[in-house]
Amino acid sequence: MELKKDSNSVSIDMLLIVHSEKRRAAQGAHSDRQADPGALLQRRGGLQGIGNGLRRWQKLEGNELHGNLAEKQHPQQTQIITSYDNQGTQLTVEVHPRDAMPQLLKKFSLAKCLQGDKNGNTRPRQPGGKDAHAYPWDRSSLKSMPLDLRQFEKLDTYASQVTVKSGLDELVSNLLQEAHSDLERVRAIWIWICHHIEYDIEAAQEKDRQAFKPTDILRTQKTNCDGYAGLFEKMCRIAGVQCMTVPGYSKGFGYQTGQSFSGEFDHAWNAVYLEGRWHLVDSTWGSGLVDSATSKFTFLYNEFYFLTHPALFIEDHFPDNKNWQLLKPPQSLRQFENNMYHKSEFYNKGMLSAHPETSMIKTVNGKAMVTIESCAPTLFMFMLNGKQEHGLLSLRKNGMKLEVYPPTVGTHKLQIFAKGNSDIYSSVLEYTLKCNYVDDTVQLPAELHQPVGPSWFSEQMGITKPSHPHPIIHTSDGRCSVSFGVEEGISVLASLHGDDGLITEETQRRYIFQLQREKRTELKVQLPHAGKFALKIFVKKRQEAGNYIFVFNYLLCCTNTKVNWPMFPESFGNWGQDNELLEPLTGVLPANRNVPFKLKLHGIAKALVKGQDTWPLTLNSEGYWEGSCSTAGCQEVYVMVLENANHNFYSYILKYKVNAQ
């Protein structure tokens, strides 16, 4: 190709465009993937579309790329000749009047909308060594260049509120009113597209449709992934910023762990040239998500896909040309297929790494383990086959550890969710578990919720210095005592849960007796039989209305088949937080016996025990109320107190049952 340049025009004698057969395939019908990254249990992970025909933006005719330039063209028609050789190489030759702008130049170069570089070149340069980032990710930043997102707050607000009045040129001009650098120009365009262009679900599902024109996108404010990418490229060119559309494969909606990719490309995104390097953006996935259940699009801005670090972008985007990975070394398609897929929310929620690093896990002796490292304390939860069961999830200061015990042999789906700084759990990881052995000795209670064991979260909720920092407590005789510090103004509630049905909703608190010793709470637990039980801990602020909040639970394990402890005595509302019961702790008393009583009661004028008769309790020098009572001739025994010496009304605080004779 020979270029003849003067002050007014560029003359092109011949322009040859050569494509590989694979690249040519990208101009056929393809399917976007605009995913709903999770259920509305708030599995949100970037927009990663559903089926669509991927059309390269370059398929648009020149007048679609450059406004109404066609009206200014020479009347003589341009001829374009395309042929293929037997190696699958495309050769395109354009013959046009000498004084006319070539159609192919308008499609594949920056034409008049892009300023030439210092060497006088008008085409964007291809990515090279200085554009490449090291792989794997060095954890330095989610972005490919240093950014302080706070600097965009004013610009973002402005750009999101700009409306379309006439055409694309005026829209870009209005957007750039508050932009003073190429970075800010790109940011303004990105924000506008992400907040105004809706994913066209119907168009995405059509097998054969024409490419989206900019005028149609502005009119309907709907498009598919190639429309997003093409509009972004067009607007950047009008703004004088080099931009390219990049086709490739994506891990979006319908993606199956470990699947292979072949044939036509299913997605398109952009590369922009800023501060001497190429950077990657995906405005399709930055705009929102599609709920797979309802097939409805929801605008949900995702910052992650703006100038994403290439080592993170490669997790769900594989370009047709490896140079557009912007990585050193570049990844192969096989690596892309096999590498662990971390959803965008994984990084948005502050996750750093996960182990195992493969998406397929095989259990060992019936167990699989997953650990996640995060940059800050984070709440997690998991689902195995859609249920929060068969696992032990413990929180760490910077991450979590999960042990999973699949209940059956076969393949299982494991999903992990994180909360981060929001009030919503989002899906961050998915694993496929392959289990070839089930450990029948590990049967976790269905009521064992997440997390297990104390952590930074329980400390944040007012529970400190636990006597048992480990989540699992083994007891040989079916009894245990758990204690922890409690911050002032915090009330604690505990309940015991098993799977055999012997512990009902009425009795789940009767196998626990709660004692308050200075600033520590003690929970005395007696198990009704051998097995595994969930000891659940709840808290609430005393001065606030509302329900108790679940904080964590312990897993209690007992293998002694002789264990058969009765319930503790039933306590009533007047049993104070600071009261202490030393004896009798069993809720069922023997018949025809004299039973000693010893309690510490605060703010009490008198105390007594009532059975067939009434026996007063006396206050000793150590501050305990002591005495005894006969269980002869009665079925129930009550402890009663008089709070005010000037009154004659006694209140029930404890109730015991008496064994039948």
Side-chain angles (χ1 to χ4, degrees), residues 22 45 70 202 207 233 258 420 430 503 510 544 610 623:
K22 184 175 183 181
E202 293 183 1
K207 294 183 178 180
E233 177 182 344
E430 288 189 10
I503 301 179
R510 294 287 305 281
E544 294 183 1
K610 186 180 184 305

Side-chain angles (χ1 to χ4, degrees), residues 365-576:
N365 297 325
K367 181 179 79 170
M369 182 180 295
V370 175
T371 59
I372 292 180
E373 181 185 357
S374 60
C375 59
T378 303
L379 289 175
F380 293 88
M381 61 172 286
F382 77 93
M383 282 190 174
L384 184 66
N385 301 326
K387 296 182 178 180
Q388 300 181 49
E389 298 178 359
H390 309 295
L392 300 173
L393 188 153
S394 54
L395 298 176
R396 296 175 172 178
K397 188 175 182 180
N398 290 310
M400 71 88 171
K401 181 178 79 170
L402 172 63
E403 296 177 2
V404 182
Y405 301 87
T408 59
V409 172
T411 301
H412 304 266
K413 181 180 180 180
L414 175 63
Q415 297 169 287
I416 298 177
F417 306 85
K419 197 171 186 180
N421 295 325
S422 69
D423 294 329
I424 298 170
Y425 282 93
S426 301
S427 176
V428 295
L429 281 180
E430 288 189 10
Y431 287 97
T432 297
L433 297 187
K434 289 192 174 180
C435 178
N436 55 13
Y437 168 78
V438 175
D439 187 350
D440 293 329
T441 64
V442 181
Q443 293 183 355
L444 303 178
E447 287 291 325
L448 186 73
H449 290 168
Q450 310 155 43
V452 292
S455 66
W456 62 266
F457 178 64
S458 55
E459 185 172 346
Q460 180 177 296
M461 298 299 289
I463 296 179
T464 61
K465 299 179 180 178
S467 59
H468 294 69
H470 194 269
I472 303 177
I473 300 175
H474 294 274
T475 169
S476 58
D477 65 355
R479 296 184 297 179
C480 67
S481 177
V482 178
S483 64
F484 37 75
V486 179
E487 292 183 0
E488 188 174 351
I490 299 294
S491 295
V492 177
L493 184 69
S495 59
L496 188 70
H497 303 263
D499 283 342
D500 55 13
L502 294 179
I503 301 179
T504 64
E505 188 172 349
E506 284 186 9
T507 62
Q508 62 191 19
R509 295 186 56 210
R510 294 287 305 281
Y511 290 95
I512 305 167
F513 201 82
Q514 187 168 325
L515 303 174
Q516 192 74 23
R517 302 176 187 272
E518 295 181 350
K519 293 185 178 181
R520 289 187 71 81
T521 292
E522 180 182 1
L523 303 175
K524 291 183 177 293
V525 183
Q526 295 181 165
L527 301 180
H529 52 76
K532 293 183 173 64
F533 300 84
L535 176 60
K536 305 178 76 169
I537 312 296
F538 304 82
V539 302
K540 74 179 293 290
K541 292 183 179 179
R542 295 177 186 171
Q543 303 302 321
E544 294 183 1
N547 298 324
Y548 281 80
I549 300 172
F550 171 72
V551 180
F552 72 97
N553 41 209
Y554 285 106
L555 175 63
L556 307 185
C557 303
C558 178
T559 58
N560 186 349
T561 56
K562 296 180 179 180
V563 165
N564 183 23
W565 290 104
M567 293 179 288
F568 286 102
E570 183 178 357
S571 60
F572 298 99
N574 288 337
W575 176 261

Side-chain angles (χ1 to χ4, degrees), residues 48-108:
Q48 306 167 354
I50 50 185
N52 172 359
L54 174 66
R55 325 285 173 232
R56 292 300 303 276
W57 187 260
Q58 286 87 337
K59 292 185 69 174
L60 298 177
E61 294 302 323
N63 62 327
E64 296 166 2
L65 278 173
H66 298 282
N68 297 319
L69 286 178
E71 298 177 0
K72 303 175 183 179
Q73 300 291 328
H74 192 279
Q76 183 175 345
Q77 184 175 1
T78 297
Q79 294 181 341
I80 298 177
I81 304 167
T82 301
S83 63
Y84 301 90
D85 66 13
N86 59 4
Q87 299 299 317
T89 299
Q90 175 184 347
L91 175 65
T92 301
V93 179
E94 175 178 331
V95 181
H96 61 86
R98 183 173 297 275
D99 58 347
M101 178 179 290
Q103 295 291 311
L104 288 174
L105 178 61
K106 288 173 16 181
K107 292 179 183 179
F108 294 104

